[in-house]
Amino acid sequence: MPHARFPTSLGDCALAWHDAGLTGFFLPGSATRLPSGEPAEPPPWVAGIVARVQRHLAGDAQDFSDLSYDFSGVPEFHRAVLQATLAVKSGRTATYGEIAATLHQP
């Protein structure tokens, strides 16, 4: 799976992707668990996301809910949790209980 590591103000992050969308995001410290395969030069749409992540981690809050994510390899319940967390706007928080309530899964 193509992936790229990139620097941010908080340390190295990484993104993984394929044609259907993003498949992984790795925060500083977790980038050592990248998918197998060689790193790749990010296509323009991924390079744009890299720039947004860099701005976000430098303090310029970004909204990532508009990105294309590929959750096809994620179990249905986990996919629902991920989609619910994408609805939480930058700078806001949501508890596990609040996310569970939005899924009707207390």
Side-chain angles (χ1 to χ4, degrees), residues 12 35 54 62-64 71 82 91 99 102 105:
D12 284 354
Q54 290 170 323
Q62 304 289 305
D63 179 4
F64 296 100
F71 296 137
L82 290 168
I99 296 294
T102 66
Q105 296 285 329

Side-chain angles (χ1 to χ4, degrees), residues 25-102:
F25 176 69
F26 303 85
L27 288 166
S30 66
T32 57
R33 296 185 309 220
L34 291 173
S36 60
E38 291 297 314
E41 185 67 30
W45 68 273
V46 175
I49 298 167
V50 167
R52 287 172 66 182
V53 170
Q54 290 170 323
R55 287 193 304 270
H56 185 77
L57 295 181
D60 180 13
Q62 304 289 305
D63 179 4
F64 296 100
S65 62
D66 64 321
L67 301 180
S68 294
Y69 297 94
D70 180 9
F71 296 137
S72 62
V74 178
E76 184 177 339
F77 176 75
H78 295 124
R79 185 178 319 133
V81 170
L82 290 168
Q83 291 168 332
T85 58
L86 284 170
V88 179
K89 297 299 178 196
S90 179
R92 306 295 237 173
T93 59
T95 66
Y96 290 122
E98 290 167 338
I99 296 294
T102 66

